[in-house]
Amino acid sequence: MIFNYFALFLVSVVGIVFLDDDITSVSIQEWILFAVMIYAVLGIFRHYRDLLNQERRRR
């Protein structure tokens, strides 16, 4: 599951790099990919938080 979020993050980064025609402005596609990137990072943090909570319950 965490690999899906990581892949989503990487695709967003690559998409932003390739869609950046004009470095002085941000297109709507770049904003959407940035939102997808934030979603992926939050998913990764949630996954690690859940793993930490499971480890704490074990002790």
Side-chain angles (χ1 to χ4, degrees), residues 20 24 34 49 55:
D20 194 15
T24 60
F34 185 66
R49 185 190 65 206
E55 185 65 29

Side-chain angles (χ1 to χ4, degrees), residues 2 5 40-58:
I2 192 157
Y5 288 121
V41 168
L42 290 175
I44 290 170
F45 285 144
R46 276 186 303 216
H47 183 73
Y48 278 124
R49 185 190 65 206
D50 292 343
L51 288 175
L52 285 173
N53 286 337
Q54 287 176 1
E55 185 65 29
R56 286 181 188 157
R57 283 187 213 133
R58 244 189 240 177

Side-chain angles (χ1 to χ4, degrees), residues 6-57:
F6 186 70
L8 192 60
F9 179 81
L10 285 180
V11 167
S12 297
V13 168
V14 170
I16 286 175
V17 168
F18 284 118
L19 286 175
D20 194 15
D21 311 358
D22 183 14
I23 59 171
T24 60
S25 66
V26 180
S27 67
I28 189 69
Q29 294 90 356
E30 290 173 319
W31 281 114
I32 291 170
L33 287 173
F34 185 66
V36 170
M37 189 184 307
I38 291 173
Y39 171 77
V41 168
L42 290 175
I44 290 170
F45 285 144
R46 276 186 303 216
H47 183 73
Y48 278 124
R49 185 190 65 206
D50 292 343
L51 288 175
L52 285 173
N53 286 337
Q54 287 176 1
E55 185 65 29
R56 286 181 188 157
R57 283 187 213 133

